[in-house]
């Protein structure tokens, strides 16, 4: 199955988010284009967070970093404004979620730095093209995501558990999914765990910490990938005075093409 790429779809998605028309999850939106997770931090925490991402490349593969106070990211697409172009944001104060706005212009200041982190929606496209099922797309909901008991590599004040996303697959399809997603290390790459969720600290597979539960059918096993929501679990530990992230599943749609980040 080949992907037909509409070169204007990513820009239109950002315009729709900016206008408040697009406020929901972006899975399978603008096929062919790279989507990105978001973390916005005060400049005094930016260096430590950059090192945290470098030491934890599976959950936090960096796509771009803004200049302090500059909401544009021209390397990711035309006319991007990180204050408006994500469908929904999360605002955190002292580690507590306080708001989920669709626009953060009133919160932006010259000392904020935006980090864009690779998203599994890119490798999902490759899975679909290979004939592999992606259940949350089939069911029209957000991907299920879970906090685990797997620690990240602590860096400065940043530490906390790995977050994973899950897609149920038959065993043969899971093997193929490992091969397919290994081609995309800049958007999490191969799975980090297959099978028994309790082995990575997930008590109830039907009760995700983020996103929506999906059906796991007879003969299928849960397959887990490192997830770009990991910074949100870390923020809960660090409890910075102020920061902003994307709402899980609500990504920045960039002009970059998935084909440009495949390694094979």
């Amino acid at each position: 199955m080949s992907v037909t790429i509409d070169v204007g779809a990513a820009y239109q998605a950002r315009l729709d988010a900016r206008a408040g028309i697009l406020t929901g999850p972006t899975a399978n939106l603008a096929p062919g284009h790279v989507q990105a997770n978001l973390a916005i931090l005060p400049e005094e925490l930016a260096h430590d967070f950059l090192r945290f991402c470098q030491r934890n490349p599976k959950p936090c593969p960096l796509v771009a970093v803004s200049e302090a106070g500059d909401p544009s990211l021209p390397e990711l697409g035309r006319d991007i404004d990180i204050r408006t172009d994500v469908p929904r944001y999360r605002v955190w104060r002292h580690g507590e979620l306080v708001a989920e706005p669709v626009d953060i212009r009133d919160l932006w200041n010259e000392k904020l730095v935006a980090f864009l982190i690779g998203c599994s929606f890119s490798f999902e496209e490759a899975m679909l093209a290979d004939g592999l099922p992606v259940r949350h797309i089939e069911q029209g909901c957000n991907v299920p995501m879970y906090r685990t008991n797997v620690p990240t590599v602590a860096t400065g004040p940043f530490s906390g558990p790995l977050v994973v996303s899950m897609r149920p697959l038959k065993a043969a399809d899971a093997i193929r999914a490992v091969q397919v997603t290994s081609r995309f290390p800049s958007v999490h790459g191969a799975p980090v765990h297959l099978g028994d969720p309790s082995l990575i600290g997930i008590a109830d597979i039907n009760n995700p910490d983020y996103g929506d539960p999906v059906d796991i059918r007879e003969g299928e096993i849960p397959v887990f990938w490192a997830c770009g929501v990991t910074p949100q679990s870390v923020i809960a530990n660090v409890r910075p005075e102020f920061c902003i992230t994307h709402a899980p599943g609500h990504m920045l749609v960039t002009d970059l093409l998935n084909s440009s980040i495949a390694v094979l």
Side-chain angles (χ1 to χ4, degrees):
M1 184 178 81
S2 61
V3 174
T4 300
I5 298 175
D6 178 350
V7 294
Y11 183 52
Q12 188 60 54
R14 296 195 298 272
L15 292 179
D16 288 347
R18 192 177 303 180
I21 298 168
L22 173 62
T23 60
T26 54
N28 212 30
L29 189 66
H33 291 88
V34 173
Q35 299 193 27
N37 301 275
L38 173 67
I40 298 172
L41 291 161
E43 191 174 15
E44 60 268 22
L45 291 173
H47 181 64
D48 281 330
F49 187 72
L50 176 63
R51 291 191 302 121
F52 176 82
C53 292
Q54 291 171 333
R55 292 179 179 178
N56 296 275
K58 286 287 280 187
C60 301
L62 279 175
V63 175
V65 182
S66 77
E67 295 294 332
D70 186 353
S72 67
L73 291 146
E75 67 270 38
L76 296 185
R78 62 171 166 151
D79 189 34
I80 286 179
D81 188 333
I82 203 61
R83 303 170 300 178
T84 59
D85 293 0
V86 171
R88 188 169 298 277
Y89 302 82
R90 282 186 161 185
V91 180
W92 306 79
R93 294 190 184 276
H94 302 287
E96 299 294 329
L97 177 62
V98 297
E100 288 194 316
V102 296
D103 183 311
I104 56 167
R105 280 177 291 192
D106 61 332
L107 297 171
W108 188 260
N109 65 62
E110 70 279 0
K111 294 187 180 297
L112 293 179
V113 179
F115 293 84
L116 282 301
I117 294 167
C119 170
S120 60
F121 292 167
S122 289
F123 71 62
E124 286 180 352
E125 179 182 290
M127 290 175 62
L128 290 169
D130 206 68
L132 297 170
V134 179
R135 187 63 38 77
H136 63 275
I137 292 178
E138 291 176 4
Q139 295 186 199
C141 62
N142 201 355
V143 62
M145 295 160 274
Y146 308 83
R147 286 191 297 270
T148 72
N149 61 7
V150 179
T152 56
V153 179
T155 307
F158 293 99
S159 65
L162 175 70
V163 173
V164 293
S165 59
M166 188 278 291
R167 295 153 191 84
L169 295 164
K170 293 180 179 179
D173 286 343
I175 293 169
R176 181 58 183 156
V178 171
Q179 297 170 329
V180 169
T181 60
S182 293
R183 298 175 54 227
F184 296 91
S186 58
V187 287
H188 307 303
V192 295
H193 183 70
L194 291 80
D196 188 350
S198 68
L199 295 178
I200 54 173
I202 298 171
D204 184 357
I205 196 70
N206 295 311
N207 186 27
D209 295 292
Y210 313 94
D212 302 308
V214 296
D215 296 339
I216 301 177
R217 297 169 185 162
E218 186 176 354
E220 293 181 333
I221 60 172
V223 183
F224 299 93
W225 280 262
C227 179
V229 174
T230 297
Q232 297 191 27
S233 75
V234 170
I235 285 165
N237 277 3
V238 178
R239 302 179 68 83
E241 182 178 345
F242 171 74
C243 69
I244 300 168
T245 67
H246 68 294
H250 299 64
M251 307 298 176
L252 176 71
V253 184
T254 79
D255 289 348
L256 299 180
L257 296 181
N258 291 323
S259 59
S260 71
I261 62 172
V263 297
L264 296 172

